[in-house]
Amino acid sequence: MEEDSVMIREAVADDAEKLLDYLEKISAESDFLTFGPRELHLDIAQEKDTLDSFSIRDNALFLVAEVDDNIIGCLNFSGGTRSRTAHTGEFGISVLQAYWGQHIGKVLLKTLISWAHRTHIIRRINLRVRMDNVRAKRLYQSAGFVEEGMIKRDLLVNGKFYDSITMGLDIN
Ligand SMILES: CC(C)(COP(=O)(O)OP(=O)(O)OC[C@H]1O[C@@H](n2cnc3c(N)ncnc32)[C@H](O)[C@@H]1OP(=O)(O)O)[C@@H](O)C(=O)NCCC(=O)NCCS
């Protein structure tokens, strides 16, 4: 899928190095993520293995958004590995700050939801988002996600606790 020179596609093992560079960049840009700068400790071989496993699994999806061969956004969804949880999973999403507000998050999320319908396996998409992440919450609400619960003290960032809310979307 292409929108205003942004290409959304499934990640492949060869994206590993670029993806690690991307993750390091966004870790420094946003306090809303579950990781901070230099915290991922992943090497290229590990990342290649991760991307390979996502491409093999029927209930997992790793999307990247690219502009001119550079990764500027990503979304990864992983369903459960056992039969009782294979129909459900959580995703994480991010876009480089320079590209916020250009509907790249929205297109990534729509691509996930369409894929979920096509799998005939996924019946439920869950997420958790920091309570004060207004932009992300609006994005999820506009895609049909419903607020369902709250997790107190879910994140501890620079000595401050943050609560998260859980949201979900049934795939019928
Ligand atoms: C959350 C994030 C992925 C959104 O990506 P994005 O590409 O900027 O989002 P979009 O441009 O597709 O905007 C989607 C919706 O977000 C909302 N939105 C956009 N800009 C907003 C703003 N300044 N304030 C509040 N809501 C805003 C709108 O509802 C918008 O849809 P609309 O324009 O049709 O009304 C991105 O901001 C990001 O990477 N943030 C840091 C990491 C993060 O928070 N990840 C989520 C963790 S749960």
Side-chain angles (χ1 to χ4, degrees), residues 2-45:
E2 207 167 336
E3 186 168 280
D4 299 338
S5 79
V6 179
M7 172 74 82
I8 308 284
R9 62 168 175 83
E10 287 191 35
V12 293
D14 280 350
D15 293 319
E17 190 169 1
K18 281 201 285 188
L19 201 52
L20 290 181
D21 288 344
Y22 165 80
L23 292 173
E24 201 48 50
K25 273 191 226 160
I26 54 156
S27 71
E29 283 188 350
S30 175
D31 277 348
F32 292 128
L33 299 166
T34 54
F35 54 93
R38 295 172 303 284
E39 265 191 356
L40 283 179
H41 307 300
L42 293 168
D43 63 30
I44 295 174

Coordinates of all heavy atoms in Angstrom, one line a residue, residues 2-45:
E2 N 0.5 2.3 -0.8 CA 1.4 3.4 -0.9 C 0.5 4.7 -0.6 O -0.6 4.8 -1.1 CB 2.0 3.5 -2.2 CG 3.3 4.3 -2.2 CD 4.1 4.1 -3.5 OE1 3.9 3.1 -4.2 OE2 4.9 5.0 -3.8
E3 N 1.0 5.6 0.2 CA 0.2 6.8 0.4 C 1.2 8.0 0.6 O 2.0 8.0 1.5 CB -0.6 6.7 1.7 CG -1.5 7.9 1.9 CD -2.5 7.6 3.0 OE1 -3.5 7.0 2.8 OE2 -2.3 8.1 4.1
D4 N 1.1 9.0 -0.4 CA 2.0 10.1 -0.3 C 3.5 9.7 -0.2 O 4.2 10.2 0.7 CB 1.6 11.1 0.8 CG 0.2 11.6 0.7 OD1 -0.3 11.6 -0.5 OD2 -0.4 12.0 1.7
S5 N 4.0 8.8 -1.0 CA 5.3 8.3 -1.0 C 5.7 7.5 0.2 O 6.9 7.2 0.5 CB 6.4 9.5 -1.2 OG 6.6 10.2 0.0
V6 N 4.7 7.2 1.1 CA 5.0 6.4 2.2 C 4.6 4.9 1.8 O 3.5 4.7 1.3 CB 4.1 6.8 3.5 CG1 4.4 5.8 4.6 CG2 4.5 8.2 3.8
M7 N 5.5 4.0 2.0 CA 5.2 2.6 1.6 C 5.0 1.8 2.9 O 5.8 1.9 3.8 CB 6.4 2.1 0.9 CG 6.3 0.6 0.6 SD 5.1 0.2 -0.7 CE 6.1 0.5 -2.2
I8 N 3.8 1.1 3.0 CA 3.6 0.3 4.2 C 3.8 -1.2 3.7 O 3.1 -1.6 2.7 CB 2.2 0.4 4.7 CG1 1.8 1.9 5.0 CG2 1.9 -0.5 5.9 CD1 2.4 2.5 6.2
R9 N 4.6 -1.9 4.3 CA 4.9 -3.3 3.9 C 5.2 -4.2 5.1 O 5.6 -3.7 6.1 CB 5.9 -3.4 2.8 CG 7.3 -2.9 3.3 CD 8.4 -3.3 2.3 NE 9.7 -2.7 2.7 CZ 10.5 -3.2 3.6 NH1 10.2 -4.4 4.2 NH2 11.7 -2.7 4.0
E10 N 5.2 -5.5 4.9 CA 5.6 -6.4 5.9 C 7.2 -6.4 6.0 O 7.8 -6.3 5.0 CB 5.1 -7.8 5.6 CG 3.6 -7.9 5.9 CD 3.1 -9.4 5.9 OE1 3.9 -10.3 6.4 OE2 2.0 -9.6 5.4
A11 N 7.7 -6.4 7.2 CA 9.1 -6.4 7.4 C 9.7 -7.7 7.0 O 9.1 -8.8 7.2 CB 9.4 -6.1 8.9
V12 N 11.0 -7.7 6.5 CA 11.7 -9.0 6.2 C 13.0 -8.9 7.0 O 13.4 -7.9 7.6 CB 12.0 -9.1 4.7 CG1 10.7 -9.3 3.9 CG2 12.8 -7.9 4.2
A13 N 13.6 -10.1 7.1 CA 14.9 -10.2 7.9 C 15.9 -9.2 7.6 O 16.6 -8.6 8.4 CB 15.4 -11.6 7.8
D14 N 16.0 -8.8 6.3 CA 17.0 -7.8 5.8 C 16.7 -6.4 6.4 O 17.6 -5.5 6.3 CB 17.0 -7.7 4.3 CG 17.9 -8.9 3.7 OD1 18.5 -9.6 4.5 OD2 17.8 -9.1 2.5
D15 N 15.6 -6.2 7.0 CA 15.3 -4.9 7.6 C 15.9 -4.7 9.0 O 15.8 -3.7 9.6 CB 13.8 -4.7 7.8 CG 13.1 -4.6 6.4 OD1 13.6 -3.9 5.5 OD2 12.0 -5.2 6.3
A16 N 16.5 -5.8 9.5 CA 16.9 -5.9 10.9 C 17.8 -4.6 11.3 O 17.5 -4.0 12.3 CB 17.7 -7.2 11.2
E17 N 18.8 -4.4 10.5 CA 19.7 -3.3 10.9 C 19.0 -1.9 10.9 O 19.1 -1.1 11.9 CB 20.9 -3.3 10.0 CG 22.0 -2.3 10.5 CD 23.3 -2.5 9.7 OE1 23.4 -3.3 8.8 OE2 24.3 -1.8 10.1
K18 N 18.3 -1.7 9.9 CA 17.5 -0.4 9.8 C 16.5 -0.3 10.9 O 16.3 0.8 11.4 CB 16.8 -0.3 8.4 CG 17.7 0.1 7.3 CD 17.0 0.7 6.1 CE 16.3 -0.4 5.3 NZ 15.7 0.1 4.0
L19 N 15.9 -1.4 11.2 CA 14.8 -1.4 12.3 C 15.4 -1.1 13.6 O 14.9 -0.3 14.4 CB 14.1 -2.7 12.3 CG 12.8 -2.8 12.9 CD1 11.8 -1.7 12.3 CD2 12.2 -4.2 12.7
L20 N 16.6 -1.6 13.9 CA 17.3 -1.4 15.2 C 17.6 0.1 15.3 O 17.5 0.8 16.3 CB 18.5 -2.2 15.4 CG 18.2 -3.7 15.6 CD1 19.5 -4.5 15.8 CD2 17.3 -3.9 16.9
D21 N 18.1 0.7 14.2 CA 18.4 2.1 14.1 C 17.2 3.0 14.4 O 17.2 3.9 15.1 CB 19.0 2.5 12.8 CG 20.4 2.0 12.6 OD1 21.0 1.6 13.6 OD2 20.9 2.0 11.4
Y22 N 16.1 2.5 13.7 CA 14.8 3.2 13.9 C 14.4 3.2 15.4 O 14.0 4.2 16.0 CB 13.8 2.6 13.0 CG 12.4 3.0 13.3 CD1 11.9 4.2 12.9 CD2 11.6 2.2 14.1 CE1 10.6 4.6 13.3 CE2 10.3 2.6 14.5 CZ 9.8 3.8 14.1 OH 8.6 4.2 14.5
L23 N 14.4 2.0 16.0 CA 13.9 1.8 17.4 C 14.8 2.7 18.3 O 14.2 3.3 19.3 CB 14.0 0.4 17.8 CG 13.0 -0.5 17.1 CD1 13.2 -2.0 17.4 CD2 11.5 -0.2 17.4
E24 N 16.1 2.8 18.0 CA 16.9 3.6 18.9 C 16.5 5.1 18.8 O 16.4 5.8 19.7 CB 18.4 3.5 18.5 CG 19.4 3.8 19.5 CD 19.1 3.3 20.9 OE1 18.9 2.1 21.1 OE2 19.1 4.1 21.9
K25 N 16.1 5.5 17.5 CA 15.7 6.9 17.3 C 14.4 7.2 18.1 O 14.3 8.2 18.8 CB 15.4 7.2 15.8 CG 16.7 7.6 15.1 CD 16.2 8.1 13.7 CE 17.2 7.5 12.6 NZ 16.7 7.5 11.3
I26 N 13.4 6.3 17.9 CA 12.1 6.6 18.6 C 12.2 6.5 20.1 O 11.5 7.2 20.8 CB 10.9 5.8 18.1 CG1 11.2 4.3 18.1 CG2 10.5 6.2 16.7 CD1 9.9 3.6 18.2
S27 N 13.1 5.7 20.6 CA 13.3 5.5 22.0 C 13.7 6.9 22.7 O 13.3 7.2 23.8 CB 14.3 4.5 22.4 OG 15.6 4.9 22.1
A28 N 14.4 7.7 21.9 CA 14.8 9.0 22.4 C 13.8 10.1 22.2 O 13.8 11.1 22.8 CB 16.1 9.4 21.7
E29 N 12.8 9.8 21.4 CA 11.8 10.8 21.0 C 10.5 10.7 21.9 O 9.8 11.7 22.0 CB 11.3 10.6 19.6 CG 12.3 11.1 18.5 CD 11.7 11.1 17.1 OE1 10.7 10.5 16.9 OE2 12.4 11.6 16.3
S30 N 10.2 9.6 22.4 CA 8.9 9.4 23.1 C 9.1 8.7 24.5 O 9.7 7.7 24.6 CB 8.0 8.6 22.2 OG 6.8 8.4 22.9
D31 N 8.4 9.3 25.5 CA 8.3 8.7 26.8 C 7.2 7.8 26.9 O 6.9 7.2 28.0 CB 8.2 9.8 27.9 CG 9.5 10.4 28.3 OD1 10.6 9.8 27.9 OD2 9.5 11.4 29.0
F32 N 6.4 7.6 25.8 CA 5.2 6.8 25.9 C 5.5 5.3 25.6 O 4.6 4.5 25.7 CB 4.1 7.3 24.9 CG 3.6 8.6 25.2 CD1 3.5 9.7 24.3 CD2 3.0 8.8 26.5 CE1 3.0 10.9 24.7 CE2 2.5 10.0 26.9 CZ 2.4 11.1 25.9
L33 N 6.7 5.0 25.2 CA 7.1 3.6 24.9 C 7.5 2.9 26.1 O 7.8 3.5 27.1 CB 8.2 3.7 23.8 CG 7.8 4.4 22.5 CD1 9.1 4.6 21.7 CD2 6.8 3.5 21.7
T34 N 7.6 1.6 26.0 CA 8.0 0.7 27.1 C 9.5 0.6 27.2 O 10.0 -0.1 28.1 CB 7.4 -0.7 27.0 OG1 7.8 -1.2 25.7 CG2 5.9 -0.7 27.1
F35 N 10.2 1.3 26.3 CA 11.7 1.2 26.4 C 12.3 2.6 26.2 O 11.7 3.4 25.5 CB 12.2 0.2 25.4 CG 11.8 0.5 23.9 CD1 12.6 1.3 23.1 CD2 10.6 0.0 23.5 CE1 12.1 1.5 21.8 CE2 10.2 0.2 22.2 CZ 10.9 1.0 21.3
G36 N 13.4 2.8 26.8 CA 14.1 4.1 26.6 C 15.4 3.9 25.8 O 15.7 2.8 25.4
P37 N 16.1 5.0 25.6 CA 17.3 4.9 24.8 C 18.3 3.9 25.4 O 18.5 3.7 26.6 CB 18.0 6.3 25.0 CG 16.8 7.2 25.3 CD 15.8 6.4 26.1
R38 N 19.0 3.1 24.5 CA 20.0 2.1 24.7 C 19.5 1.0 25.7 O 20.2 0.4 26.4 CB 21.2 2.8 25.3 CG 21.9 3.7 24.3 CD 23.1 4.5 24.9 NE 22.7 5.3 26.1 CZ 22.0 6.4 26.0 NH1 21.7 6.9 24.8 NH2 21.6 7.1 27.1
E39 N 18.2 0.8 25.7 CA 17.6 -0.3 26.6 C 17.3 -1.6 25.9 O 17.0 -2.5 26.6 CB 16.4 0.3 27.2 CG 16.6 0.9 28.6 CD 15.3 1.2 29.3 OE1 14.2 0.9 28.8 OE2 15.4 1.6 30.4
L40 N 17.3 -1.6 24.6 CA 16.8 -2.8 23.9 C 17.8 -3.9 23.9 O 17.4 -5.1 23.9 CB 16.3 -2.4 22.5 CG 15.0 -1.7 22.4 CD1 14.6 -1.4 21.0 CD2 13.9 -2.6 23.1
H41 N 19.1 -3.6 23.8 CA 20.2 -4.6 23.8 C 19.9 -5.7 22.8 O 20.0 -6.9 23.2 CB 20.3 -5.2 25.2 CG 20.5 -4.2 26.3 ND1 21.6 -3.3 26.3 CD2 19.8 -3.8 27.4 CE1 21.5 -2.5 27.3 NE2 20.4 -2.8 28.0
L42 N 19.5 -5.4 21.6 CA 19.3 -6.4 20.6 C 20.4 -6.3 19.5 O 20.8 -5.2 19.2 CB 17.9 -6.2 19.9 CG 16.7 -6.4 20.7 CD1 15.4 -5.8 20.0 CD2 16.5 -7.8 21.1
D43 N 20.8 -7.5 19.0 CA 21.8 -7.3 17.9 C 21.1 -7.7 16.6 O 19.9 -8.2 16.6 CB 23.1 -8.1 18.2 CG 22.8 -9.6 18.3 OD1 21.9 -10.1 17.7 OD2 23.6 -10.3 19.0
I44 N 21.8 -7.5 15.5 CA 21.2 -7.7 14.2 C 20.7 -9.1 14.0 O 19.6 -9.4 13.5 CB 22.1 -7.2 13.1 CG1 22.4 -5.7 13.3 CG2 21.6 -7.5 11.7 CD1 23.4 -5.2 12.3
A45 N 21.5 -10.1 14.5 CA 21.2 -11.5 14.3 C 19.9 -11.8 15.1 O 19.0 -12.5 14.5 CB 22.3 -12.4 14.8

